[in-house]
Amino acid sequence: MAADSDPESEVFEITDFTTASEWERFVSRVEEVLNDWKLIGSSAGKSPEKGEYTSGTWEEKTQDINFADFKFCVAHHYLKQESDGGKEEPEEDAFPMAMQDLLCMNNDFPPRAHCLVRWYGMREFVVISPGANCEAIISESKCNLLLSSISISLANSGCQVPMFVQIQQKWRRMYAGECQGPGVRTDFEMVHLHKVPSQYNHLSGLLDIFKSKIGCPLTPLPPINIAIRFTYILQDWQQYSWPQQPPDFDALLGGEVGGVEFGKLPFGACEDPISELHLATTWPHLTEGIVVDNDVYSDLDPLQAPHWSLRVRKADNPQCLLGDFLTEFFKLCCTKESAEEILGRGVAEEEGKENSDISQALSKLTEPAAVPIPKLSVSNMVHSARKRIRRHRRVDESPLSNDILNSILLCLFPDAAVEKLAEASEIKAARLNNDGKADQEKDCDYNLFNQLKSAPSDSLTYRLALCVCLVNFYHGGLRAVAHLWAEFVLEMRYRWENNHLVYGLAGGPPDLRCCLLHQKLQMLNCCIERKRARDEGRKVAEGGRERERKASANENGLLAPESAAAASDPARAGTPGKSWDSWSDSEEEFFECLSDTEETKESPPAAGEKGGAKEASKAKPEGRLHPHGNMTLRNSAEPLYIPVTQEPAPMTEDLLEEQSEVLAKLGTSAEGAHLRARMQSACLLSDMESFKAANPGCCLDDFVRWYSPRDFVEEEVVDELGETVVRGDLSARMKIPGNMWVEAWETARATPARRQRRLFDDTKEAEKVLHYLAMQKPADLSRHLLPCVLHAAILKEKEEESGEDIASVRKAVQQATSHASKLLRHPSPDYKKLEDVINQLMAVETVIACARSLKAKFGIGKGEVSEELERFVSSLLEEPEVSVVGAGRGPAGSIIHKLFVSAQRSALLAPLDEDAGRGGGADDRKPMGSGGVPDFPPPAGREILLRTCVPRPAPYSKALPQRLFCVLMREDFRLAGAFSSDTSFF
């Protein structure tokens, strides 16, 4: 007790009422946001034009604020309008812009807008809603607290933009709000129920609600403006079958739509992409006495509605053939299995299986074994590998049957079916001619490969991509792709070994604008061309020597028996004296393998050696192409000849990158720079040797005049006789000590191109290409071919769109092409973003399928159709909602009416009467067609808009706008009211 009475133990609690509470901070924060967005004060603007809410641009600003630890999101929605230069100041007591919008009739029932825009017709408003992952505002006390907060914020800031608070669960779309002006206020209230009360299932009941709510004391009551919209849904397409035929999975080369023809991608939807047609019948301007709609009778006949509009609802992700092909092909890019893992064990493992006894391991290493020399050729190895694969794989286990495989190979290599060489050349010439015409007609589409880094649309790589895509989808997936690729690589090996050019590839070096796989195939073709040219050159040389031998024998008038036998047998003819070609190895890989005596006999010494110029001038010229104009050699009057030179080695982009890395690693030192120059001067040295062989007795000045004319400077000078003559000399850079050109010229020997070491070793490069192809996994192959598949898909969509003429599709295809071009140009493309490109192309296919579906339903293409109907159908794809000209009596309206009548008759003839249990009222009061079947089903949704302008709350108050928007659906009943009142005279 003593402690309790101690004055020091008493605690004095001081309450500081000057400290702001959480609620006051929240109100202040709302006012700050309104100030930041410049929503303070009165706002004025011109009345919105008809349809502007749909065609205009809506913008949104958001800001997060907190009420204690509860997060709210404040959003400002507004229609962006062009501001007038001579903007007039609003009147002092003018209504807020939102109140004027309540009575505006230009934008009733906008097809695409925020729900508050549709219910209240406003062009600007602010919404405060709970933040993400926050619970909904359900309790009434919290709702009232928020409404009080925005009321105080509006009053303090003078903001005339309406503010709403989202209450209840978000899916219910419940809002309460307020708008304040000078002496006026509008309260926004809402009712939401799951079922429509029977007494409010018609216009008369809703009018009663509206009248009782506004409580106008005037008699008679000012007229109420009424706008009504009924929406009917058509889902039954029994009368119109979907025009897309399903693909024929049994036929390999079927010509139907969506067939499986190799070399062509299928196109089209497998199901109707249009799921529903929504017909909205609207009575825009009615008054209470004009129309009757109660629980007994209704004047609201959809055929008599003055305004019809139609919207299309598309099916969710309809199955489309091209989209499925692209999706399945893209999945290949993500696989990791190699061809050996997919098709079975490799050759080495199969051989090891036959000798699996471990006790014999050492004896296998130590015992001598006979090496069958003839079987060491590459062709025999490939043949034995193919036999072993076929032996260990049963016929029924093969991923691709022989018939399908042969059809694919025939598509890839059509030259294999041509037996006669003449026919083959004719077909090739015809194809080249046709390609030339196609290039002129369709330059843009043909050169699309340049943008996408794919391959020309008439190339082997392009056809291979299409065949792989079709095989993957229809004929076995990953295993079938691995099988096809293995056969393709074997075909490439066969063509290389037998000197058959690869069909469907442009001549010349690899085209760096194309994908790497296409460059590799072109490189293989270059190797085959060089090999064939070398073999033909050897035959020509042997024939020339044979003719010389015969001519010399005829001159002597005697032909020895040995020579006669040699002449009759070319194989024996080359035996006594070996030619240059016979000194080379079997593959003719190198040309510098002459013996020392042969070299000294055939090759003159370098021009820089002692006596070399004299001997060189007497040497026999070799490898001349043609004279170089009227030029002569500096040291003699002999004409200057252009030599036959070796062509530079063709290179693919990976080889160029590898070479640049090697050169970059040499560094910037003097030694590195010198070594780099030596590596890059192989072609220069070869040309110098060819030039010396073609022009005996030449000097470096002669070579520079032909090879690099800019480095030979000519000047006019006056000689001893006083005459003006032209004299030339090497440029300054050619006279630098240690110049690479001088060094190369001194080391170069007079050797014609045919006897030089090859700059381009076609045997080595061909084996590298074939090894590269053999090492590619199915996933690697798919990544190489993905640009070609996208290229083919874009061309297919352009082709299909050309018959439909859809502006949005053309724009979407152009955007997808641009997007893909940026991604595929990158050395390592982002495959996640490439998947977005595929989704874009799938969306385009869906739109084209929708266009065809609509044209089939409206009878376009079955005879003469008015341009107006064609424009109407094309507009359905471009716009969210399209007005039907003439309503139910126009050409489009009559077709829509027939569609509904057909669907009604087929539905009501069903055994079960689905409409028997439906509620009474307006649902059963439908116009009857022939036989008592209503032409239209019960409306899926009814929207009724009531508007008036009355003084409220007192008779002497200002006449203010009042509005009630009613939504009546089978399981949804909503009333959205905006009720204004005078705060000055009440």
Side-chain angles (χ1 to χ4, degrees), residues 246-375:
D248 185 0
F249 293 95
D250 298 325
L252 181 65
L253 298 176
E256 300 98 8
V257 179
V260 201
E261 185 176 355
F262 289 112
K264 292 184 180 179
L265 287 177
F267 189 88
C270 297
E271 55 184 321
D272 197 335
I274 304 295
S275 62
E276 295 175 350
L277 285 183
H278 290 202
L279 172 65
T281 59
T282 307
W283 293 263
H285 303 294
L286 298 175
T287 54
E288 187 175 356
I290 291 178
V291 65
V292 176
D293 181 56
N294 52 39
D295 56 353
V296 178
Y297 175 80
S298 176
D299 287 333
L300 301 175
D301 181 359
L303 286 174
Q304 304 301 322
H307 186 271
W308 278 20
S309 57
L310 193 69
R311 70 163 63 194
V312 172
R313 181 171 181 180
K314 301 172 185 176
D316 295 332
N317 300 320
Q319 184 183 3
C320 295
L321 293 173
L322 181 61
D324 290 349
F325 269 63
L326 295 178
T327 303
E328 291 300 319
F329 186 85
F330 185 76
K331 290 178 182 177
L332 279 181
C333 301
C334 306
T335 57
K336 297 181 180 179
E337 297 90 347
S338 65
E340 287 186 357
E341 294 170 349
I342 295 167
L343 296 178
R345 286 174 289 188
V347 178
E349 293 182 17
E350 295 292 347
E351 289 177 347
K353 184 181 177 183
E354 298 173 0
N355 305 291
S356 56
D357 188 3
I358 195 169
S359 63
Q360 303 295 325
L362 290 177
S363 62
K364 286 287 181 184
L365 292 175
T366 56
E367 290 178 2
V371 180
I373 300 297
K375 292 186 178 180

Side-chain angles (χ1 to χ4, degrees), residues 705-723:
R705 289 161 64 201
W706 163 64
Y707 204 82
S708 180
R710 291 186 178 181
D711 285 306
F712 190 80
V713 182
E714 292 183 339
E715 296 179 344
E716 293 183 355
V717 295
V718 179
D719 60 0
E720 296 83 358
L721 302 176
E723 297 180 357

Side-chain angles (χ1 to χ4, degrees), residues 32-84:
E32 288 177 10
V33 172
L34 295 177
N35 272 291
D36 292 342
W37 289 342
K38 296 181 174 57
L39 301 180
I40 306 303
S42 60
S43 59
K46 61 179 181 179
S47 180
E49 298 177 359
K50 190 171 185 64
E52 189 174 357
Y53 284 7
T54 304
S55 60
T57 303
W58 288 86
E59 295 191 353
E60 179 183 0
K61 296 178 184 177
T62 58
Q63 180 75 44
D64 290 336
I65 61 174
N66 288 339
F67 190 132
D69 57 350
F70 195 92
K71 182 178 290 186
F72 286 94
C73 177
V74 184
H76 176 213
H77 302 265
Y78 60 97
L79 176 68
K80 190 175 181 180
Q81 291 180 295
E82 295 181 0
S83 57
D84 295 335

Side-chain angles (χ1 to χ4, degrees), residues 662-684:
V662 170
L663 295 176
K665 288 179 181 178
L666 294 176
T668 57
S669 63
E671 184 180 356
H674 185 74
L675 184 58
R676 188 184 301 109
R678 290 287 302 268
M679 291 175 65
Q680 291 176 318
S681 63
C683 186
L684 175 66

Side-chain angles (χ1 to χ4, degrees), residues 265-268 795-805 848 852:
L265 287 177
F267 189 88
L795 287 182
K796 185 68 176 178
E797 292 191 339
K798 284 187 173 184
E799 176 190 344
E800 299 291 336
E801 185 275 332
S802 61
E804 308 299 332
D805 192 21
I848 296 176
R852 293 179 174 173

Side-chain angles (χ1 to χ4, degrees), residues 109-406:
F109 312 112
R112 186 171 53 194
H114 193 282
C115 59
L116 290 176
V117 177
R118 188 176 184 86
W119 296 335
Y120 296 117
M122 297 175 300
R123 72 187 96 166
E124 185 177 19
F125 54 93
V126 176
V127 179
I128 299 178
S129 56
N133 303 321
C134 293
E135 60 183 9
I137 309 298
I138 298 176
S139 67
E140 187 177 354
S141 60
K142 290 183 179 179
C143 294
N144 290 333
L145 181 63
L146 285 174
L147 286 173
S148 301
S149 303
I150 65 171
S151 181
I152 294 173
S153 299
L154 291 174
N156 291 343
S157 62
C159 175
Q160 295 187 5
V161 177
M163 289 190 70
F164 292 87
V165 176
Q166 186 169 15
I167 58 179
Q168 302 299 327
Q169 293 85 356
K170 287 191 175 183
W171 63 267
R172 296 187 66 181
R173 297 190 298 174
M174 290 279 289
Y175 297 89
E178 185 175 319
C179 177
Q180 293 186 10
V184 292
R185 186 184 72 220
T186 301
D187 295 311
F188 299 95
E189 305 170 8
M190 202 169 291
V191 174
H192 182 229
L193 303 175
H194 284 295
K195 290 188 177 180
V196 181
S198 58
Q199 66 270 30
Y200 304 129
N201 198 22
H202 40 74
L203 176 61
S204 58
L206 297 172
L207 282 170
D208 293 339
I209 292 181
F210 187 54
K211 291 175 184 177
S212 63
K213 183 63 181 177
I214 60 178
C216 179
L218 298 180
T219 55
L221 190 68
I224 297 176
N225 182 275
I226 304 170
I228 300 175
R229 168 173 286 207
F230 285 3
T231 301
Y232 300 90
I233 296 179
L234 179 62
Q235 297 173 311
D236 189 1
W237 313 112
Q238 291 186 1
Q239 184 181 356
Y240 296 90
S241 61
W242 173 229
Q244 174 78 39
Q245 296 295 325
D248 185 0
F249 293 95
D250 298 325
L252 181 65
L253 298 176
E256 300 98 8
V257 179
V260 201
E261 185 176 355
F262 289 112
K264 292 184 180 179
L265 287 177
F267 189 88
C270 297
E271 55 184 321
D272 197 335
I274 304 295
S275 62
E276 295 175 350
L277 285 183
H278 290 202
L279 172 65
T281 59
T282 307
W283 293 263
H285 303 294
L286 298 175
T287 54
E288 187 175 356
I290 291 178
V291 65
V292 176
D293 181 56
N294 52 39
D295 56 353
V296 178
Y297 175 80
S298 176
D299 287 333
L300 301 175
D301 181 359
L303 286 174
Q304 304 301 322
H307 186 271
W308 278 20
S309 57
L310 193 69
R311 70 163 63 194
V312 172
R313 181 171 181 180
K314 301 172 185 176
D316 295 332
N317 300 320
Q319 184 183 3
C320 295
L321 293 173
L322 181 61
D324 290 349
F325 269 63
L326 295 178
T327 303
E328 291 300 319
F329 186 85
F330 185 76
K331 290 178 182 177
L332 279 181
C333 301
C334 306
T335 57
K336 297 181 180 179
E337 297 90 347
S338 65
E340 287 186 357
E341 294 170 349
I342 295 167
L343 296 178
R345 286 174 289 188
V347 178
E349 293 182 17
E350 295 292 347
E351 289 177 347
K353 184 181 177 183
E354 298 173 0
N355 305 291
S356 56
D357 188 3
I358 195 169
S359 63
Q360 303 295 325
L362 290 177
S363 62
K364 286 287 181 184
L365 292 175
T366 56
E367 290 178 2
V371 180
I373 300 297
K375 292 186 178 180
L376 283 181
S377 69
V378 177
S379 59
N380 284 334
M381 292 174 63
V382 172
H383 181 66
S384 62
R386 183 180 291 183
K387 283 174 57 180
R388 193 174 289 110
I389 290 173
R390 289 175 178 171
R391 185 174 71 242
H392 290 283
R393 186 197 299 147
R394 295 196 306 272
V395 176
D396 56 348
E397 290 180 352
S398 180
L400 289 173
S401 67
N402 287 334
D403 293 340
I404 294 177
L405 184 59
N406 290 335

Side-chain angles (χ1 to χ4, degrees), residues 386 489-500:
R386 183 180 291 183
V489 175
L490 289 175
E491 178 68 22
M492 294 297 102
R493 168 73 66 179
Y494 173 82
R495 286 177 177 259
W496 158 246
E497 293 184 352
N498 293 277
N499 285 359
H500 293 318

